[in-house]
Amino acid sequence: MSKPFEYSAPKLEEFTHDIEHTSRRWLLWVLLLVCIIGLGIFALVMQIVKGHVITGMRDNVVWGIYIVNFVFLMGVSYAGALLSGSLQLFRTKWRGPILRFAELITIISLCIGPLYILLCIGRLDRLPFLLMYPRIQSPITWDVIAISTDLVGCFIFLWMALLRDIARLRDKADLRVPRWRKAVYRFLALNYQDTPEQRKRLKFTKDVMAAMIIAIAIIVYSVLAWIFSLTLQPGWDSTIFGPYFVIAAVYSGTGVLIVLMAIYRKIYRLERYITRKHFVHVGIVLMVLAMFFAYFTFSEYLTRWYGQKEVDGRYLSHLYNDYFWLFIFANYISILAPIIVIGIPRFRSIKTIVTVAVISVVGLWLNRYLIIVPTLEVPYLPIQDTREAWVDYQGTWVELLLSIGGIGSVALLFTLFGKLVPPLDVSEMEDIEAEMLEKEKKLVNA
Amino acid sequence: MSDELQNKENSRRKFLRYGLLAGAGAVAGHTLLKATTPEPEAGSGEMVKVLTTDGKLVEIPKSAMKAGDAFFIDREEARKGIPNRKFVMVIDLAKCANARACTEACQKGHHLPASQEFMRVYLMQDGKNTAPYWFPKPCYHCDKPQCVSVCPVGATYKRTDGIVLVDNERCIGCKFCMTGCPYSARVFAWEHYPEYDVDVPYSPETSVPGQEGTVSKCDFCPDLLRVGKLPYCASACPMGVIYFGDMYEDIVTNGSETVRFSELIRDRGGYTHMGNLGTKPSVYYLPPVNRQFPVDRGFDGLDPEIAARYDKTPYVQKKKNQQ
Amino acid sequence: MKTNTRNILAFALLAGILCGAPLRAQEEGAEGPAVLDFAFKYFKRSNGLYELKAVVTTETEDGYVPVRDLPIDFTHLTDADPVVLGQVKTDYDGVALLMVKPEDIVYRDTGGLMGFTAGFEGNEAWDMAYEEVYVKDLRLTMTAEVVDSVKTVHVTAHYIKGDGQEYPVNEQDIFLFKQGMLSKLQIADGWLVEGECDIEFPEGIPGDKDGNVALFVSVLEHPDFGNVEVSETVAWGVIPNYVTEESGLLWTTVAPTWMIVLLIVLLAGVWGHYVYAMIQMRKIKKTGPKG
């Protein structure tokens, strides 16, 4: 009998120190993030005051880095939902230390992602029109409905996932946190006392919601893909964009998960709970997804290339000539790296897995960039213009600051969540440990 | 005959005399004028034909109209369209010499900055061995408009008269329509341009004044059509390239020549640009056959900034290589 | 129509010789009155009124632009002093327009020519401008009727000489037009013999929603008669096949039905589960031990 996983569950007490205490380093970190976000807000104010003219977007490339960030973050979020949903539903053995990260990724990128589409909107003051005069035919309306539905669903799921840990924190009499935070715990814990009935009910409802958010994640991300593929633009009008985007999303989300595992492992010293084996397992998921992604990417570009339509030809030659290295990185290196490194057991180590995860995440962002920007630079009627910005898109400092500000916001939310709940799902991990011991006992008896 | 000539000679002398007495004549004339014109206070008796909002052709004294505000069509009314009309445009590529009068008249009429062109003139060349030609491109006012389909707030809409308009008071500036349009017909107001500072009430039919952060485009000038005038581009073109009219009455005109739409399309091989996309454009082209001008005429007297637009086209590249 | 350009040219030449130097100086320098571009047209309308139209423009850097609010004097020439018809100021488009009633025409020469003048006397800003028109009074009539199941427009054309008698117009082209929204379309033509002619109305001409077609018989830019038209509305047109307002399509206000149904089903399904989950959470709260 082998012991494939470290299933010794962590104790809540291991994390209460971080929840109770605010170190100077923590404060400095938060201050830094606030400054970064402040820069982003400054850029936003400038954009509102001076108009979108200070961004790099112009009449041909009407959507730039903002939409790339939007698509990317939403993808990461859906990936988190899919992963946490399926880990929960299928009771994957190694889910223990990963669940919480997946849940946090889902909710945090879902909070930040939609902000980027707002940055693209010329008249923010008219945002209520989306609800006042909705047109059901518009994929943007679908997206508004889908994202808000997803947001609510993910919050319900997250609440359920955190419920037991929060109940424990509430019950921990010696937890030294301000009174208001105790009140928050009391409110969120819903009088959960872990009675068998409550436990059974929570488990069942959580499974229902897990199934729900998997389904929603697929639909919602397809809707996002359709924003592009339902237009007639040469690089976008593809029938496989729905599944392609879903696969790409899970792929990038898995990469982000690995990176996050590494960061949390280091900060919270979780080496005991997150082991190489966890990295290998998530890594193998990443590898399989990379293969799927490679298949979809190949299929997409092959179809365009083989058909030799004039517009497709112009689009592809623009990609190969003007975006050569980005294309090579996004569609070759970032796909092959995880397949080779994780596929060959000798190369597997935490360091290498994290490295290829970073490569795949960056590659995926670039892949989105290559789908969105070059397409708009090659419309049906060739651009005949002398204005540089009208011909080639180049993000400006405004877009850069707001992108960094977005990363800062994501980091800040992760930091703040760290003050609310432990970084690992303590209750769930205890369950897993109990299950394992049960199984082991049965095996021994047999 | 000599009698007549004599008469004319006399009259000229009389006019010269009359000129000296103009002051007295003017007073007398005014009373006479009152007797002969239907709108005495207006000073001019010309009646102009005007389409009312319910599609009736009525005559009103021209003096009752001022340019621009004659028929203010509010945003609600502008969604309806002129009844029993279906507007079409026919662009005769054989006559276009890139004079840019259409673009300039349009920009002036719609109070647009130089960086916004509702009407653009492309230098097209369909294939390596085919001849280049000038290609004016307005909005095609498609019968199956992608831009309208994708609009999330109904800011852009298709009217019964075939015109696709944008309501700049409704537009949220998401620019989805710009990616939805396969013909790059739409422009976005990236900032507030000084040209937008016009003190007239906004109507989607005039697209004036423009608004920062919203999308606009060629509107087929329904405000002019209502008073029986051609769109700015069609009336400005010195070559008579642009024909405009109503498909139901089967008449198009470029201002000097009036022809049957169906016959023009039949006899001259009219086609729609990229109709294979299924958008069903309302703008037709007549192929550039038997051209009146060599394509190089389009470069004559062109602003260097504008001429540079075409630098990357295969035709100009080839010419530069030959030199 | 005799716009008498030759006389004007001769007059201008004379004036040029007489005061050439100062005139040239005026043209070269920015000072002094600017030159007007003056066009004068005669049009006898369907309602029997004589329309006199002066179009005043001036050449600028932007091309020809209309000159507004310029008083234009119109006269009717007689064998004695010209009769002053009136003064009209040019409008927004630089057009001064005067309608003359038939009873105001007091003189025709023996050949039947009527003379009209339009002029601007000149002021500090603008040079004087003047044009004359000599034209014969054409009486055009049209009768639209179906003759032997052929839709026919019967046209008569006579002109009046100085003696007040009508004489038929012979061997002359005549055109049948249909009024369009923006302009008139020529749909047929005829040949006047002894002041009469029949023009066949071609089949397949679209009318309005009641099949009505406004027909015009015109003589345009004629050297003797100028512009003359008569009109009549007949219900001979084909009623167009109007496209009724579409609905339930991608680009209409109301979405396709399947889309609405699918959306409702999806939303009801998902939000139903949310509600279920919230009820369960409420039950979790309720079923917990007190205290």
Side-chain angles (χ1 to χ4, degrees), chain B residues 4 11 14 18 32 43 249 258, chain C residues 73 80 84 88 109 134 181 183:
Chain B
E4 284 164 23
S11 64
K14 277 166 196 159
Y18 157 72
L32 231 164
E249 62 178 30
T258 301
Chain C
D73 299 300
V84 175
V88 180
D109 76 359
Y134 293 92
M181 179 185 171
S183 59

Side-chain angles (χ1 to χ4, degrees), chain C residues 210-266:
Chain C
D210 304 314
N212 284 332
V213 180
L215 292 178
F216 281 80
V217 171
S218 315
V219 166
L220 295 175
E221 307 282 323
H222 191 276
D224 284 332
F225 308 122
N227 304 291
V228 186
E229 68 178 19
V230 281
S231 78
E232 192 176 331
T233 299
V234 289
W236 289 351
V238 179
I239 298 174
N241 195 6
Y242 295 118
V243 173
T244 45
E245 198 170 349
E246 299 167 302
S247 183
L249 298 171
L250 274 178
W251 49 91
T252 51
T253 316
V254 179
T257 318
W258 71 264
M259 226 175 228
I260 301 170
V261 171
L262 182 67
L263 188 73
I264 291 171
V265 168
L266 277 178

Side-chain angles (χ1 to χ4, degrees), chain B residues 212-226:
Chain B
E212 185 195 338
T214 61
V215 176
S216 50
K217 65 168 191 72
C218 154
D219 52 19
F220 264 11
C221 302
D223 56 322
L224 297 183
L225 298 177
R226 281 185 196 274

Side-chain angles (χ1 to χ4, degrees), chain A residues 346-397:
Chain A
R346 274 183 49 202
F347 293 158
R348 286 178 201 160
S349 73
I350 294 181
K351 251 189 198 139
T352 55
I353 292 174
V354 172
T355 309
V356 293
V358 170
I359 291 173
S360 68
V361 169
V362 174
L364 244 291
W365 190 90
L366 290 174
N367 175 279
R368 299 302 210 277
Y369 187 91
L370 290 180
I371 285 176
I372 292 165
V373 172
T375 296
L376 291 172
E377 286 169 351
V378 190
Y380 278 103
L381 281 157
I383 300 169
Q384 294 182 348
D385 217 312
T386 44
R387 297 163 294 182
E388 198 47 51
W390 260 256
V391 181
D392 291 309
Y393 171 76
Q394 196 97 51
T396 63
W397 62 272

Side-chain angles (χ1 to χ4, degrees), chain A residues 152-384:
Chain A
V152 173
C154 287
F155 264 109
I156 294 174
F157 182 70
L158 184 75
W159 191 359
M160 290 179 160
L162 297 181
L163 193 62
R164 288 163 74 195
D165 278 2
I166 287 174
R168 283 172 168 228
L169 284 165
R170 172 202 61 194
D171 294 342
K172 203 166 161 33
D174 59 345
L175 192 70
R176 277 172 300 171
V177 292
R179 197 172 292 156
W180 68 269
R181 273 179 57 187
K182 288 210 166 189
V184 169
Y185 286 137
R186 222 173 7 257
F187 172 76
L188 288 176
L190 283 178
N191 195 25
Y192 183 82
Q193 304 287 357
D194 214 15
T195 65
E197 195 200 342
Q198 278 182 320
R199 181 187 273 244
K200 205 181 141 198
R201 179 160 271 146
L202 180 66
K203 207 170 178 180
F204 181 72
T205 319
K206 216 161 106 181
D207 280 355
V208 169
M209 282 308 290
M212 215 61 231
I213 64 165
I214 292 174
I216 297 170
I218 292 173
I219 295 173
V220 171
Y221 209 58
S222 302
V223 166
L224 196 97
W226 292 334
I227 284 193
F228 303 102
S229 66
L230 295 188
T231 67
L232 298 169
Q233 299 295 335
W236 290 354
D237 64 339
S238 162
T239 53
I240 65 163
F241 256 33
Y244 183 27
F245 269 51
V246 171
I247 286 294
V250 188
Y251 179 45
S252 64
T254 309
V256 171
L257 182 70
I258 292 175
V259 175
L260 215 60
M261 278 161 65
I263 294 172
Y264 268 82
R265 189 170 182 263
K266 193 122 203 164
I267 293 175
Y268 288 95
R269 282 175 289 283
L270 302 177
E271 288 86 352
R272 210 157 69 83
Y273 308 110
I274 308 176
T275 61
R276 179 177 167 275
K277 278 183 177 156
H278 288 101
F279 278 97
V280 170
H281 274 265
V282 185
I284 286 170
V285 172
L286 185 77
M287 182 190 74
V288 172
L289 289 168
M291 287 169 173
F292 271 109
F293 181 69
Y295 162 68
F296 272 102
T297 307
F298 182 72
S299 171
E300 172 69 16
Y301 286 110
L302 176 74
T303 318
R304 288 203 187 285
W305 174 79
Y306 202 95
Q308 299 284 325
K309 268 197 281 186
E310 195 263 351
V311 276
D312 283 342
R314 268 196 291 132
Y315 166 63
L316 289 179
S317 89
H318 185 49
L319 267 185
Y320 291 140
N321 294 321
D322 304 323
Y323 290 95
F324 182 75
W325 286 111
L326 288 188
F327 189 84
I328 293 295
F329 186 86
N331 294 331
Y332 289 82
I333 295 173
S334 81
I335 292 173
L336 290 176
I339 293 175
I340 292 168
V341 170
I342 302 167
I344 299 170
R346 274 183 49 202
F347 293 158
R348 286 178 201 160
S349 73
I350 294 181
K351 251 189 198 139
T352 55
I353 292 174
V354 172
T355 309
V356 293
V358 170
I359 291 173
S360 68
V361 169
V362 174
L364 244 291
W365 190 90
L366 290 174
N367 175 279
R368 299 302 210 277
Y369 187 91
L370 290 180
I371 285 176
I372 292 165
V373 172
T375 296
L376 291 172
E377 286 169 351
V378 190
Y380 278 103
L381 281 157
I383 300 169
Q384 294 182 348

Side-chain angles (χ1 to χ4, degrees), chain B residues 3-4 7-8 11 14-15 18 22 29 32-33 35-36 43 51 62 67 84 148 225 248-249 253 258 260, chain C residues 73 77 80 84-86 88 92-93 98-99 101 104 109 113 130 134 178 181 183-184 204 206 209 242-243 251:
Chain B
D3 182 34
E4 284 164 23
N7 241 329
K8 285 175 200 166
S11 64
K14 277 166 196 159
F15 176 75
Y18 157 72
L32 231 164
L33 171 77
T36 50
L51 277 167
K62 185 167 187 180
N84 299 337
V148 174
L225 298 177
Y248 289 140
E249 62 178 30
T253 178
T258 301
R260 286 191 77 171
Chain C
D73 299 300
L77 299 174
V84 175
L85 292 172
V88 180
Y92 188 86
D93 295 316
L98 189 78
M99 304 301 268
K101 285 179 176 173
D104 292 328
D109 76 359
L113 280 181
Y130 172 75
Y134 293 92
K178 175 207 163 183
M181 179 185 171
S183 59
K184 292 189 183 82
K209 64 181 197 301
Y242 295 118
V243 173
W251 49 91

